[in-house]
Amino acid sequence: MTWRVCEEGFDSSRITSNGNKFMTGNGYMGYRGTMEEYTKNELVACNLPGVYDRVGNKWREPVNAPNGLFTSLAVEGKSIGVLQEKPVCHRQMLDIREGLHWRNTVWDTAYGRVTVEAERFASLSAYHMLCLKYTVRLEKSCEITIKTGIDGDVWDINGPHLEGFSCEQAGDVIRVQSITQELMVPIVVAEACKRSFIAEETIEKQDKGIFRIIKWCSEPDTAYTFYKYVSVYTGKDNVTDMVEAAGEAVLKTAEAGYIRASQDHAACWKTRWEDADVVIEGDEQDQLALRYSIYQLEIIAPFHAQDQSIPARGLSGQTYKGAIFWDTELFMLPFFLHTHPDAAKSLIRYRIKSLNGARRKAACYGYRGAFYAWESQENGDDACSDYNVTDVFTGRPVRTYFKDKQVHISAAIAYAIWEFYRYTGDMSILSEGGAEVILECARFYHSYAYFKEDKDRYEILDVIGPDEYHERVNNNAYTNRMVHHTLEAALQVLQLLKEGNPEVYAELLEKLDYSGEIANIARMKEKLYVIQPDEKTLVIEQFDGYHRLEDCSLAEVKNRLLDPREYWGGGHGVASDTRIIKQADVVLMLYLFRDTYHSEVLKANWTYYEPRTEHGSSLSPCIYALLSCETGNAEWAYPFFKKSASIDLTGESKQFAGTIYIGGTHPAANGGAWMSAILGFAGLCVRDGRVSVTPNLPQKWSRLAFKVNVRGEKYSIELTHDRQNIVKLG
Ligand code: IFM
């Protein structure tokens, strides 16, 4: 019950959301929760993170590989599938303990009952492999035709990305080779299919696909099962001959058999859960929702790579250009840091690897240092368009300033590197590029800031804070505080290296020509305007002039919408001239720097900003949960935890920004759900390698138990309303 996600009945209006909800994956690839008989029209995708392509002047986005699991069924020549024939019974299920997708569908046809049962997984023990077990059973004796193979005609938002198709058979293996249009990255998908029943098999080649046509006459009530072993390789993999590697992988897995492949896969899942599971007693729905959030993070975690990060919509497709946002550093990293520090390191290394992209961006705007991409792709270049929203009324692109003005992105990266160092105590992350990133981010802010002589202070002007509805504002409280932190981290990093690693220190100063910069950074840190709570109300103004905006209710602003898909921000948005904000902004700042504020300030700002927050971003509710826990109010936090944890189960999230599709999974919310439970309700705190908790469990929960990895040592933590137990595991 708490390890399974199930849906009964077939509802065509849920095809897209179920594609997200029933995702499987292994970090190397994400496979959407679609039916075997679906095609690109139902958004089938085998998404490959890190392989991007641009067609003409359309948006650059990650590539979907040819679908090696395509399988359709015909009985006496008539197609039977959920789209052709309404099933009498249909169940779709995800076993999150073992990372298995399963479907069972029954049709009542002129030929009696037809049942299809299929199970599949993206292997956690062999990252290039997808495996499928497919069983068909008929009540009567009929001619069955299965078409199964590799469908290269894939779903793309801004494609088609693949060209130069070659579809071949080589012995028992069929394969499709193609290349991406822009960078000509080769993609190879190979398939081997095994069955133990006798049938006639022919091969059908199409321009973009190759299929096996398997025909036989069935006995009544007899199960016919076949197995598909599919491998995916790209030119980005470190192999000399991809075609050979892909062919060998499928043959080797096929020879070992499905049971062996699924056992190896399950064993890897067992290890993952040993490190990451969180047990909630007292509410089964919460238990499932949190486990499911963890599952979503596990299937996108880059365990296979040294320096890969995670896109904002995970591996659920091409939404948001498959790009990496600050979501990873502030909302996902804490989960990985506490459970799988190696995966966390890969996320940090991705930012180190893409530092030159951030330098290019800064230089392009006339600044120095590192201005990270708002939407980052493989080389750190910004995929964010100047027109990221389309107006619903005119169909015209709307000029947005996310790319130019969300300068807080660099600070989030510096913050994450500093947190990684503080948590792991691993100096190597600093000497292997982390220090350079922090220093270059600090340099960027120094070149961006404005020194106001009359006020004798640095100000950060013309920015967008986390609340994207208010563009080009001055002195956003969150941004200024984060910049302050970056400057502080830069100075501390310099000190650490000077004392602990003088050679690296000297090399870095020389390489970056930084000696003269140190005084600039120190001065700016002293004189940067950090917005303080109002003396009477304790509220921190979100940006200069925020309090002069119209103070109307969220309901009133919603009422003003003429179209539900209308964009609320920018020049003409319904929220732009009001105090209604998209997502946690000041509240996020207070959470991150909670130790430096009085609890009355935390409460006053939570109470002020919450009714004015739309929670129009999936990043928002968890932050309100975390800050309420900080003020000792678990009951206020609870509904926000629930909202965060269940977002990809219910599918209740914004699907459009203007006319642009933004649906998919929400890893930042998944990470936020974990943070709310562990850093919020359990009050876990790890400082200098020491573990402590300040629990404040929701009334409904009778027990919360989890593990954390601190500097290579594992701790098991168990909490009830009146007991806490922290045990270091041997
Ligand atoms: O990074 C977020 C941003 O804060 C709000 N819009 C969506 C982005 C991706 O999740």
Side-chain angles (χ1 to χ4, degrees), residues 126-194:
Y127 293 120
H128 295 276
M129 291 299 305
L130 288 164
C131 300
L132 170 75
K133 175 182 176 189
Y134 189 101
T135 303
V136 56
R137 180 197 300 260
L138 266 75
E139 219 174 10
K140 296 187 184 159
S141 170
C142 290
E143 186 195 67
I144 302 182
T145 310
I146 292 286
K147 178 176 177 180
T148 187
I150 309 168
D151 179 8
D153 194 11
V154 298
W155 170 48
D156 282 317
I157 297 181
N158 293 293
H161 295 294
L162 302 178
E163 58 182 17
F165 280 85
S166 121
C167 307
E168 291 156 337
Q169 180 184 20
D172 286 347
V173 177
I174 54 173
R175 66 172 176 254
V176 169
Q177 295 182 66
S178 59
I179 51 166
T180 60
Q181 298 222 13
E182 182 195 11
L183 301 174
M184 294 191 285
V185 179
I187 312 280
V188 177
V189 177
E191 182 247 36
C193 182
K194 295 281 163 200

Side-chain angles (χ1 to χ4, degrees), residues 236-298:
K236 301 217 140 206
D237 299 320
N238 206 7
V239 291
T240 32
D241 187 337
M242 289 163 53
V243 171
E244 195 178 298
E248 268 176 16
V250 294
L251 289 176
K252 194 174 132 217
T253 317
E255 200 181 313
Y258 186 85
I259 294 180
R260 180 62 199 269
S262 58
Q263 280 170 346
D264 292 350
H265 167 71
C268 291
W269 268 105
K270 189 165 183 279
T271 311
R272 290 276 188 98
W273 282 115
E274 269 162 18
D275 291 336
D277 189 25
V278 177
V279 175
I280 297 174
E281 282 175 17
D283 189 300
E284 288 204 344
Q285 268 183 15
D286 291 349
Q287 171 69 87
L288 178 64
L290 185 57
R291 277 205 175 123
Y292 177 74
S293 301
I294 295 170
Y295 167 84
Q296 283 288 354
L297 291 164
E298 295 288 346

Side-chain angles (χ1 to χ4, degrees), residues 20 313 316 319-320 653-656 660-666:
N20 301 320
R313 288 287 180 264
S316 62
T319 314
Y320 281 143
S653 62
K654 269 199 185 167
Q655 300 293 304
F656 287 92
I660 296 188
Y661 174 63
I662 56 167
T665 55
H666 299 81

Side-chain angles (χ1 to χ4, degrees), residues 302 305-308 328-330 332-352 411-435 437-438 485 489 493 496 592 686-689 709-712:
Q306 296 286 308
D307 50 17
Q308 191 171 303
T328 315
E329 281 71 26
L330 289 195
M332 303 177 215
L333 183 78
F335 165 77
F336 291 111
L337 204 48
H338 288 80
T339 55
H340 307 300
D342 288 348
K345 199 165 191 174
S346 176
L347 305 179
I348 299 286
R349 283 197 178 136
Y350 164 76
R351 293 301 193 174
I352 294 174
I413 290 157
Y415 182 93
I417 296 173
W418 187 242
E419 282 304 292
F420 183 93
Y421 162 68
R422 284 216 309 173
Y423 187 89
T424 60
D426 178 3
M427 272 284 279
S428 71
I429 200 73
L430 298 179
S431 50
E432 288 166 13
V437 169
I438 295 177
H485 176 269
V493 158
L496 270 172
L592 295 178
V686 179
R687 282 278 172 270
D688 301 322
N709 183 326
V710 182
R711 304 189 175 187

Side-chain angles (χ1 to χ4, degrees), residues 706 708 714-718 725-730:
F706 55 95
V708 284
K714 291 193 182 160
Y715 294 80
S716 164
I717 300 174
E718 201 182 330
N725 199 11
I726 304 180
V727 178
K728 191 167 166 180
L729 302 172

